[in-house]
């Protein structure tokens, strides 16, 4: 950084790029340098189309362009590049009127903060918030009434009736979710591995009970919302089972 109020090289570190403004009177001698003698990074990126009438030359480049390097520290992301001044030789090869110069440039970005332009309203949540939200996902599977308006008060059915199931997931502060049911198993006891056992949703979400010709089992479409899934299953009982409990 120069000690003068107007630095010879000024850098603006933006979200995805950096802008470098170079004073033509780079050394404060009153002799302006040529724009063609300036370049950015090891890739020798040229400046924006210079205006000879302006007293400054401007470079704009993405953070990963022009041969810049990235250093990751526990607290920061540091992008480094270099401004090069390579003067052309004078008309007399025996003398030198200027020497090359290199100006190191760094942009520091904090790793422990969420950076946004303010004008963008992202739909994602920070990772640490997502982890907390995933721990609060609440799943439910309910028997619904004939209008799908509320949970069914009675859990008694007759053969020929349809069971209306609604699966839901709710969370706090999570990104939008779309719910699927991979498997649903009916047993005669609360032990899902007991026998008899009938998987009426299986194979990664297929309602296999709907394959039979004598059933009206089906998924209900459209969904009321992405995080809910409704499906109909015809009432049944286990063959040879003297009880009436599923």
């Amino acid at each position: 950084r120069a000690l003068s109020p107007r630095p010879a090289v000024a850098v603006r570190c933006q979200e995805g790029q950096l802008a470098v403004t170079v004073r033509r009177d780079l050394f404060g001698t009153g002799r302006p340098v040529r724009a063609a003698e300036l370049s950015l990074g090891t890739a020798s990126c040229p400046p924006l189309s210079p205006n000879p009438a302006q007293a400054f030359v401007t470079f704009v480049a993405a953070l990963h362009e022009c041969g810049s390097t990235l250093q990751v520290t526990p607290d920061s992301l540091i992008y480094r590049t270099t401004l090069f001044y390579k003067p052309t030789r004078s008309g007399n090869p025996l003398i030198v009127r200027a020497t090359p110069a290199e100006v190191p440039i760094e942009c520091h970005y904090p790793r422990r903060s969420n950076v946004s332009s303010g004008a963008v309203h992202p739909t994602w949540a920070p990772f640490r918030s997502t982890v907390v939200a995933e721990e609060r996902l609440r799943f439910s599977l309910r028997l619904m009434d004939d209008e799908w308006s509320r949970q069914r008060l009675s859990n008694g059915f007759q053969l020929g009736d349809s069971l209306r199931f609604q699966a839901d997931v709710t969370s706090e502060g999570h990104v939008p979710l779309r719910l699927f049911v991979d498997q649903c198993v009916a047993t005669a006891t609360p032990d899902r591995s007991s026998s008899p056992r009938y998987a009426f949703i299986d194979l990664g979400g297929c309602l296999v009970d709907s394959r039979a010709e004598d059933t009206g089992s089906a998924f209900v479409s459209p969904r009321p919302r992405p995080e809910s899934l409704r499906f109909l299953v015809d009432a049944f009982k286990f063959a040879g089972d003297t009880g009436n409990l599923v």
Side-chain angles (χ1 to χ4, degrees):
R1 296 178 180 178
L3 297 179
S4 62
R6 300 180 63 185
V9 179
V11 181
R12 296 193 309 275
C13 299
Q14 301 168 341
E15 287 187 17
Q17 64 184 16
L18 59 87
V20 182
T21 303
V22 184
R23 192 172 60 195
R24 285 183 181 271
D25 187 6
L26 182 61
F27 300 103
T29 60
R31 298 179 178 273
V33 301
R34 301 182 181 91
E37 297 173 332
L38 299 170
S39 62
L40 185 66
T42 56
S44 299
C45 291
L48 300 179
S49 298
N51 184 350
Q54 292 181 338
F56 292 87
V57 176
T58 302
F59 294 84
V60 176
L63 294 176
H64 60 278
E65 292 179 345
C66 300
S68 65
T69 61
L70 170 63
Q71 178 186 0
V72 181
T73 70
D75 298 317
S76 302
L77 299 174
I78 304 174
Y79 290 87
R80 290 189 173 93
T81 188
T82 303
L83 174 71
F84 291 99
Y85 168 62
K86 299 177 181 179
T88 56
R89 297 293 297 270
S90 63
N92 189 336
L94 297 178
I95 61 174
V96 175
R97 297 189 184 277
T99 57
E102 299 180 7
V103 180
I105 294 172
E106 294 185 0
C107 283
H108 292 241
Y109 297 88
R111 293 185 63 192
R112 301 180 182 273
S113 300
N114 298 318
V115 180
S116 176
S117 65
V120 179
H121 300 283
T123 57
W124 46 263
F127 177 72
R128 57 180 178 270
S129 299
T130 303
V131 172
V132 174
E134 286 179 347
E135 297 174 354
R136 298 178 181 175
L137 296 181
R138 295 187 296 275
F139 294 91
S140 64
L141 181 64
R142 298 176 294 163
L143 283 169
M144 307 297 290
D145 62 10
D146 293 347
E147 289 76 30
W148 299 94
S149 59
R150 62 178 61 87
Q151 187 168 349
R152 196 173 191 270
L153 299 179
S154 171
N155 60 357
F157 294 89
Q158 295 183 353
L159 294 180
D161 292 343
S162 291
L163 285 70
R164 289 170 169 79
F165 288 101
Q166 178 167 315
D168 294 280
V169 58
T170 58
S171 64
E172 297 178 5
H174 202 284
V175 294
L177 298 171
R178 187 174 181 86
L179 177 68
F180 296 93
V181 177
D182 284 339
Q183 187 183 57
C184 209
V185 178
T187 58
T189 71
D191 181 7
R192 60 174 297 174
S193 62
S194 63
S195 182
R197 179 176 182 271
Y198 176 50
F200 54 90
I201 295 181
D202 206 355
L203 306 176
C206 179
L207 184 54
V208 294
D209 191 62
S210 65
R211 294 179 174 180
E213 296 180 356
D214 57 346
T215 69
S217 301
F219 287 109
V220 178
S221 182
R223 294 171 179 250
R225 51 191 176 276
E227 61 271 18
S228 295
L229 181 65
R230 291 173 174 175
F231 52 93
L232 298 169
V233 177
D234 285 355
F236 61 88
K237 63 177 297 183
F238 291 108
D241 185 8
T242 57
N244 292 313
L245 180 67
V246 175

